[in-house]
Amino acid sequence: MPSVADGEAAFAERDYETARQIWEPLAESGDAEAEAWLGALYANGLGLERDAARAFALYLRAAEKGNRLAANNVGAMFAKGEGIVADPVQAASWFRRAGEQGDALGQFNYAVLLTKGQGVEADMAEALAWYRRASLGGHYPSQARLGYCYAKGLGTPVDRTEAFVWLSAAAQHGVGLAMAELEELVRAMSAEEKREGRRRLAERVGQQAAALTA
């Protein structure tokens, strides 16, 4: 029997029909990864008619088996009311579950809800902690949000040096918020803060490079 990876190869070639034919029997047998991939086909209408309710059911099955990407998608569908009645509390719960399993997008989404107080009590200090977890995982929008929080003193005392590190990291990848905020921040920084910021940024880049080669 073809594997989930065979379906992924077909998906990469945009052969969605072949991918579906591979993933369907695997999903029926209870393979969480196949369920999540098949859910993506239904969610996006790839190779078949879009069916949000079917996508939600597949994502939920996969998420309940521990698939972290599916857990984030379940949260997103609860947040938007796609395939299921909108429920911000359930959205927050599933985003947190995905984040606790190491999914950077789930961490970011949960932090956003903590920032806005949607489905969970607003808590900027807690949001900051989740933005940081996602930032350390290389999620660029989280790096921009984290830098902004340090720059503005949201959930933490103002720390222009730390703000410089994270805004610079996000700006290097074209995140608009980071680029705009970084320009304003640099104008307000002392020479010593800039030196320390550049040192920390270089240290951070070095750590990332070491992690990639480990």
Side-chain angles (χ1 to χ4, degrees):
M1 176 182 289
S3 67
V4 172
D6 293 324
E8 291 176 14
F11 183 89
E13 294 295 325
R14 299 186 180 182
D15 185 354
Y16 304 125
E17 175 59 23
T18 297
R20 180 188 64 77
Q21 291 175 0
I22 292 172
W23 288 330
E24 273 188 341
L26 292 170
E28 288 171 3
S29 70
D31 187 296
E33 196 173 358
E35 289 168 344
W37 274 111
L38 191 58
L41 294 184
Y42 279 103
N44 296 287
L46 299 174
L48 40 70
E49 186 174 350
R50 186 176 184 275
D51 187 336
R54 177 66 173 151
F56 177 82
L58 285 161
Y59 282 147
L60 184 61
R61 279 164 51 184
E64 288 176 338
K65 293 170 185 170
N67 187 290
R68 65 186 186 185
L69 300 180
N72 178 70
N73 288 331
V74 168
M77 296 187 86
F78 268 122
K80 298 175 183 176
E82 291 184 356
I84 190 70
V85 176
D87 187 332
V89 174
Q90 283 289 340
S93 176
W94 280 103
F95 284 147
R96 177 165 187 145
R97 182 166 172 173
E100 288 175 339
Q101 293 173 328
D103 183 65
L105 186 54
Q107 292 164 353
F108 171 79
N109 287 331
Y110 185 56
V112 170
L113 295 190
L114 284 164
T115 299
K116 297 180 177 180
Q118 293 180 349
V120 65
E121 186 176 349
D123 187 334
M124 277 310 305
E126 183 71 4
L128 183 87
W130 285 95
Y131 283 135
R132 187 172 185 85
R133 288 177 68 174
S135 294
L136 291 170
H139 188 255
Y140 309 136
S142 291
Q143 293 172 349
R145 294 285 187 99
L146 182 61
Y148 183 84
C149 288
Y150 278 118
K152 303 300 183 183
L154 302 175
T156 181
V158 171
D159 186 333
R160 287 192 289 265
T161 302
E162 197 68 5
F164 175 86
V165 172
W166 293 108
L167 290 172
S168 296
Q172 290 171 359
H173 296 280
V175 181
L177 169 65
M179 291 188 287
E181 189 62 32
L182 183 60
E183 184 177 350
E184 179 181 337
L185 176 73
V186 169
R187 286 198 297 266
M189 293 175 72
S190 68
E192 177 57 32
E193 285 174 328
K194 291 176 185 177
R195 282 194 296 272
E196 177 61 14
R198 287 192 291 269
R199 187 195 67 77
R200 288 190 201 176
L201 180 60
E203 184 179 77
R204 176 71 194 139
V205 170
Q207 290 171 345
Q208 288 179 321
L212 289 173
T213 57

